[in-house]
């Protein structure tokens, strides 16, 4: 409407360029009449200073900066302009200039070397992931759990001797069905929450504030343990191939966590490019291992190799089976990561997220089932000196280059699987801070458009947990399942309420899928909590309780 102006006499008059109907075609007479009334009112008050009184704003804001004062800077993401009505910035005040002092300049240059050049805020549109990058980045946690989930299950079953190991196949089949059910459930979540539907958002929207915070507590606990467990398992893969490094497990793990910190502070896209290759290498290595093993088994008619003689220390009963089931279910950790990170995908975000989730679930079930099948056919039992996957690689490839490549890929993907937590932990903190349940500093983006404060907090917490448990996977596993399945249960229960309220097209099918996921997740949560409470699960339960208290106090502080 810039071509229509008032002559000050009360009637909106054409300035000689275009009429209102020509500028905005398709308007009816009522809408054109409304525009003419706006023109008349503006003309009535267009005398000098009269428009100040007509507008419902404080007009005394001073002058806008001149174009000469608005200049892009070398490193800053924001352009510095003079305040309206104020002076231009003094030398040294503009964004991106070197900080004063020798120490400040040194720190500035270190940041640039480690993190790279700061990105402008408009670059956030480009900091998105394609499906081929999102699959390894967001699925590394879930897929790499094949390296320790089956072993955790077998470590419990071996206590029952040969009879206990015989239960591995039906338990693994149940876990595979659980993977499928929860995966399908999260496909419904992505459809209902196309802009990101993690457990915290879903539970808060549908169940209330406290269930939402409990779900967030479970997620945060899971992400911290994801880093610790993935690093511990990765270091175990290294020490299986090079036993002389066993005494240096803790320093190696801490060094890898530091590497993850630096990589993620550089931003989403850079981290994705760095961490994609090891995940694909691991997928190829495990498929090759299973294929070679199945071909070898076919040559002997698929008759299982006799396992070493085992002395049973426990009877095979409900308690042993449920403990093994809870331990093996840790192979499902990381399934939620994609639904929580939908905004990190390139458009169309929700469609790309659902496709990536489907591929992840298919690969996870295939890798998990293949590993269990090879354990059964090769007669492998868990030991203290060598991981189960290392033993399978020895059976399929011997001790040559293929074995070394398999162990290297396993170690790399386990060490980098923690990157899934680095993608999602800061996002959950951002959501909590937005709702005033966490300090506002977690709302800020760093130089590379990553939530740097959340990344740093995750690094500190995971390092403390890893060092406290001496980098031992077996000690960390009991803490693991409680948090993740608590979040699964509340998220899927929230989706049941969501579909019941909405009742749109296909709501019954969606409700059935989510109800199935909620029920099965609740069974695993209760099983893990009860059977592993004294083994360390109480720590996770205590952490959830403390988290709830702290977040409620922070909310009270902001409200006050």
């Amino acid at each position: 409407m810039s071509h229509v102006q008032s002559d000050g006499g009360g009637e909106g008059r054409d300035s000689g360029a275009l009429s209102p109907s020509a500028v905005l075609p398709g308007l009816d007479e009522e809408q054109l009449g409304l525009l003419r009334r706006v023109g008349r009112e503006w003309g009535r008050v267009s005398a000098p200073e009269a428009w100040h009184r007509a507008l419902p704003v404080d007009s005394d804001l001073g002058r806008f900066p001149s174009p000469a004062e608005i200049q892009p800077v070398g490193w800053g993401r924001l352009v510095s302009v003079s305040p309206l009505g104020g002076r231009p910035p003094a030398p040294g005040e503009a964004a991106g200039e070197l900080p004063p002092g020798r120490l400040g300049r040194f720190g500035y240059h270190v940041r640039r070397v480690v993190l790279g050049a700061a990105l402008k805020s408009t670059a956030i549109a480009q900091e998105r992931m394609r499906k081929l990058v999102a699959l390894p980045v967001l699925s590394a946690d879930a897929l790499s759990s094949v390296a320790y989930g089956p072993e955790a299950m077998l470590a419990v079953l071996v206590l029952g001797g040969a009879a206990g190991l015989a239960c591995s196949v039906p338990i693994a089949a149940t876990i595979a069905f659980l993977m499928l059910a929860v995966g399908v459930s999260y496909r419904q979540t992505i459809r209902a929450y196309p802009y990101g539907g993690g457990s915290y958002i879903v539970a808060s929207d549908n169940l209330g504030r406290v269930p939402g915070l409990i779900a967030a507590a479970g997620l945060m606990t899971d992400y911290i343990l994801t880093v610790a467990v993935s690093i511990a398992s990765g270091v175990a893969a290294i020490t299986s191939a090079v036993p002389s490094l066993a005494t240096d497990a803790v320093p190696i793990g801490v060094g890898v966590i530091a590497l993850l910190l630096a990589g993620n502070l550089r931003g989403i896209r850079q981290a994705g490019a760095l961490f994609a290759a090891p995940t694909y290498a691991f997928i190829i290595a495990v498929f090759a291992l299973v294929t070679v093993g199945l071909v070898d088994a076919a040559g002997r008619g698929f008759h299982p190799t006799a396992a070493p003689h085992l002395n049973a220390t426990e009877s095979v009963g409900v308690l042993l089976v449920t403990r093994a089931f809870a331990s093996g279910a840790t192979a499902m950790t990381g399934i939620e990561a994609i639904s929580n990170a939908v905004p990190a995908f390139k458009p169309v975000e929700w469609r790309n997220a659902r496709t990536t989730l489907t591929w992840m679930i298919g690969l996870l079930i295939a890798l998990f089932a293949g590993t269990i099948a090879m354990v059964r056919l090769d007669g492998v039992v868990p030991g203290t000196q060598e991981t189960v996957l290392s033993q399978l690689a020895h059976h399929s490839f011997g001790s040559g280059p293929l074995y070394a490549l398999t162990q290297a890929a396993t170690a790399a993907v386990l060490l980098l699987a923690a990157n899934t937590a680095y993608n999602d932990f800061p996002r959950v903190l951002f959501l909590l801070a937005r709702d005033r349940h966490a300090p506002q500093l977690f709302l800020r983006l760093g130089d590379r458009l990553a939530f740097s404060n959340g990344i740093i907090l995750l690094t500190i917490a995971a390092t403390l947990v890893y060092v406290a448990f001496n980098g031992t996977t077996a000690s960390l596993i009991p803490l693991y399942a409680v948090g993740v399945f608590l979040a699964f249960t509340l998220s899927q229960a929230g989706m049941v309420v969501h579909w019941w309220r909405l009742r749109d097209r296909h709501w019954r099918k969606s409700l059935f899928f989510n109800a199935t996921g909620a029920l099965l997740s609740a069974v695993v949560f209760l099983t893990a909590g009860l059977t592993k409470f004294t083994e360390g699960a109480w720590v996770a339960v205590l952490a959830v309780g403390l988290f709830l208290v702290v977040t409620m106090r922070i909310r009270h502080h902001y409200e006050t």
Side-chain angles (χ1 to χ4, degrees):
M1 293 305 295
S2 60
H3 296 289
V4 178
Q5 62 184 23
S6 172
D7 62 0
E11 292 293 332
R13 179 178 298 173
D14 194 304
S15 64
L18 294 171
S19 66
S21 60
V23 176
L24 296 174
L27 296 181
D28 57 30
E29 284 300 317
E30 181 180 357
Q31 293 168 325
L32 290 173
L34 179 60
L35 289 175
R36 293 190 185 100
R37 284 181 56 193
V38 171
R40 286 195 295 271
E41 291 301 318
W42 185 259
R44 183 176 61 81
V45 297
S46 62
E49 304 300 328
W51 63 273
H52 288 194
R53 297 187 298 273
L55 297 177
V57 297
D58 180 7
S59 61
D60 190 18
L61 295 177
R63 67 173 181 83
F64 284 91
S66 67
E69 295 172 9
I70 305 176
Q71 296 292 334
V73 292
W75 297 110
R77 294 185 298 110
L78 303 178
V79 176
S80 178
V81 299
S82 61
L84 297 183
R87 58 175 176 78
E93 291 180 355
E97 291 194 6
L98 290 176
R102 184 175 300 174
L103 185 61
R105 288 193 294 272
F106 175 76
Y108 174 83
H109 287 299
V110 170
R111 283 167 60 86
R112 297 284 71 83
V113 170
V114 174
L115 304 182
L119 298 174
K120 295 184 181 299
S121 296
T122 52
I124 192 68
Q126 299 176 351
E127 290 294 291
R128 303 291 190 91
M129 292 184 286
R130 298 178 293 123
K131 294 192 291 289
L132 286 175
V133 174
L135 177 64
V137 170
L138 297 176
S139 303
D141 179 20
L143 297 179
S144 67
S145 63
V146 172
Y148 57 80
E151 182 163 6
M153 178 187 73
L154 294 170
V156 177
L157 291 177
V158 76
L159 300 176
L165 290 176
C167 299
S168 61
V169 173
I171 294 175
T174 305
I175 294 173
F177 174 76
L178 183 59
M179 291 174 179
L180 179 63
V182 173
V184 172
S185 296
Y186 273 107
R187 279 181 55 88
Q188 313 310 311
T189 301
I190 293 173
R191 181 166 74 88
Y193 288 85
Y195 301 105
S199 296
Y200 171 66
I201 294 177
V202 175
S204 297
D205 283 355
N206 299 289
L207 302 177
R209 179 188 298 180
V210 173
L213 289 175
I214 294 174
L219 276 181
M220 305 282 272
T221 304
D222 173 48
Y223 291 142
I224 292 170
L225 287 170
T226 291
V227 178
V229 172
S230 297
I231 298 298
S233 300
V235 173
I238 294 173
T239 57
S240 292
V242 188
S244 60
L245 294 177
T247 55
D248 300 319
V250 173
I252 292 173
V254 172
V256 174
I257 294 176
L259 177 64
L260 289 171
L261 171 64
N264 280 278
L265 287 177
R266 291 186 67 89
I268 297 172
R269 192 171 52 181
Q270 285 73 15
L274 176 65
F275 301 150
T279 306
Y280 282 124
F282 174 74
I283 294 171
I284 294 171
V286 175
F287 272 124
L289 180 155
V290 172
T291 301
V292 172
L294 288 176
V295 170
D296 181 61
R300 60 176 189 270
F302 291 102
H303 294 297
T305 301
H309 178 71
L310 299 171
N311 294 318
T313 58
E314 291 187 26
S315 60
V316 179
V318 175
L319 181 60
L320 184 72
V321 171
T322 53
R323 283 168 52 202
F325 174 72
S327 296
T330 56
M332 292 179 55
T333 57
I335 286 181
E336 193 210 43
I338 291 176
S339 71
N340 202 38
V342 175
F345 284 82
K346 284 185 177 293
V348 177
E349 293 87 349
W350 67 269
R351 184 177 292 121
N352 289 333
R354 289 190 73 175
T355 302
T356 305
L357 176 64
T358 302
W359 275 101
M360 183 189 76
I361 295 299
L363 287 170
L364 178 60
I365 293 175
L367 294 175
F368 181 82
T371 302
I372 292 296
M374 293 313 305
V375 166
R376 188 70 178 153
L377 289 171
D378 288 346
V380 170
V381 297
T384 57
Q385 302 299 320
E386 188 178 10
T387 65
V388 167
L389 207 57
S390 175
Q391 293 182 58
L392 291 177
H394 269 134
H395 276 267
S396 294
F397 303 137
S399 300
L402 288 179
Y403 168 78
L405 288 174
T406 302
Q407 286 303 100
T410 303
V413 75
L414 282 166
L415 296 176
L416 300 179
N419 192 62
T420 302
Y422 277 97
N423 275 279
D424 284 342
F425 182 93
R427 294 179 189 277
V428 177
L429 261 181
F430 167 82
L431 296 173
L432 289 168
R434 186 189 64 182
D435 296 339
R436 297 184 176 183
H437 288 297
Q440 300 294 289
L441 62 90
F442 294 113
L443 292 172
R444 301 173 189 165
L445 285 171
D447 287 346
R448 302 290 295 185
L449 304 181
F451 294 109
S452 302
N453 293 323
I455 290 171
I456 292 170
L457 177 62
L458 173 61
T459 299
I460 294 172
T463 302
L464 291 175
V465 171
Y466 179 79
V467 173
F469 285 85
N470 203 33
T472 305
T473 307
S475 301
L476 291 164
I477 287 293
L479 286 71
Y480 206 12
V482 173
V484 65
F485 281 99
L486 174 60
F488 282 177
T489 302
L490 290 172
S491 173
Q492 299 311 302
M495 287 305 302
V496 171
V497 175
H498 171 83
W499 296 122
W500 180 257
R501 289 173 176 170
L502 189 61
R503 302 191 190 188
D504 64 350
R505 186 183 179 190
H506 303 312
W507 71 273
R508 289 184 176 85
K509 179 181 70 174
S510 299
L511 187 147
F512 171 78
F513 285 140
N514 286 123
T516 303
L519 178 62
L520 294 175
S521 298
V523 169
V524 179
F525 167 68
L526 292 174
T527 301
L530 294 174
T531 60
K532 296 183 176 295
F533 188 82
T534 57
E535 298 178 30
W538 65 270
V539 176
V541 175
L542 179 62
V544 170
L546 290 175
F547 179 90
L548 184 62
V549 171
V550 170
T551 51
M552 293 297 286
R553 292 299 301 168
I554 292 174
R555 175 64 180 251
H556 177 72
H557 164 76
Y558 281 120
E559 288 178 344
T560 301

